[in-house]
Amino acid sequence: MAEAERIIGTPDIPEAEHGADGGQDAEGGQDAEGGQDAEGAQKPTGKRKIAVLFGVALVAYALDLVSKMVVVAKLEHHEPIDVVGDLLRFNAIRNAGAAFGMGEAYTIIFTVIATGVIVVIARLARKLYSLPWAIALGLLLGGALGNLTDRIFRSPGVFKGAVVDFIAPKGFAVFNLADSAIVCGGILIVLLSFRGLDPDGTVHKD
């Protein structure tokens, strides 16, 4: 257990002071949010994890937004560009469905789902004390925001917009950087769950 905590990271929670130095404070040491009291050291640590979450989300969102702007301006309505022979090419398309072109008849549903994911992540951030979880949720948030921006602002209309996809591996669906961020974040969450690490930094065994 100690080795697992060392590898995947747990919150920087100072050990409770005991003995001659005074013991825990009169309020019982920890607050309802899972951190220490107002004078403790864990709250700033949690804030740093939240900063990582939104920092990762901002980078993922910015890369996706800039890449789509370049694709629309330089690649759309042009011949695909071969990047690695015929194994990987850039080919601009508009996708009204979910990631990788699935479910094109349910654009508004995917818009609602993306909005729900963003709300859940924002609420979960309040109890976030794990750096790996901060990175994973940041990737999910940035990817969801990237595709949601397309659905709101691109044609054919608000909340019905088609997402710009352009990364086209041979024999695979066309996708974008937002899709990649979502998939990477999801995979990381699955790995963290298998290792027993919760968003609040606690490690458990089933």
Side-chain angles (χ1 to χ4, degrees):
M1 173 67 74
E3 181 64 17
E5 294 178 354
R6 184 186 68 79
I7 294 174
I8 59 181
T10 55
D12 302 327
I13 305 176
E15 295 182 358
E17 296 180 351
H18 297 282
D21 290 334
Q24 291 185 330
D25 58 74
E27 297 297 328
Q30 293 193 341
D31 63 16
E33 292 293 330
Q36 289 190 336
D37 55 55
E39 296 181 359
Q42 187 176 351
K43 287 299 181 183
T45 301
K47 291 179 180 178
R48 286 196 293 269
K49 301 302 187 296
I50 294 174
V52 170
L53 186 159
F54 288 109
V56 171
L58 180 61
V59 171
Y61 177 72
L63 290 175
D64 179 67
L65 184 63
V66 171
S67 67
K68 288 173 179 175
M69 292 174 61
V70 172
V71 166
V72 170
K74 302 294 185 181
L75 186 58
E76 200 168 34
H77 308 304
H78 291 77
E79 290 296 320
I81 298 176
D82 292 332
V83 179
V84 184
D86 63 346
L87 297 179
L88 176 65
R89 59 175 51 184
F90 290 159
N91 181 26
I93 67 169
R94 297 293 182 109
N95 170 25
F100 309 112
M102 297 182 291
E104 293 188 4
Y106 304 98
T107 304
I108 188 65
I109 295 177
F110 295 127
T111 302
V112 173
I113 292 174
T115 304
V117 169
I118 293 170
V119 172
V120 170
I121 292 174
R123 291 176 61 87
L124 186 59
R126 296 180 302 171
K127 298 183 179 181
L128 184 63
Y129 292 95
S130 166
L131 180 59
W133 268 97
I135 295 172
L137 293 177
L139 290 170
L140 282 180
L141 180 59
L145 285 172
N147 284 338
L148 184 61
T149 298
D150 282 3
R151 298 191 189 282
I152 294 175
F153 295 106
R154 297 193 188 278
S155 60
V158 178
F159 298 116
K160 297 181 180 180
V163 174
V164 175
D165 288 337
F166 63 95
I167 304 173
K170 183 178 181 180
F172 195 71
V174 184
F175 59 96
N176 57 42
L177 294 183
D179 296 333
S180 300
I182 291 171
V183 170
C184 290
I187 292 174
L188 182 54
I189 286 175
V190 171
L191 293 176
L192 293 174
S193 299
F194 271 119
R195 303 195 69 172
L197 179 63
D198 292 333
D200 63 0
T202 58
V203 180
H204 65 273
K205 288 185 176 180
D206 295 331

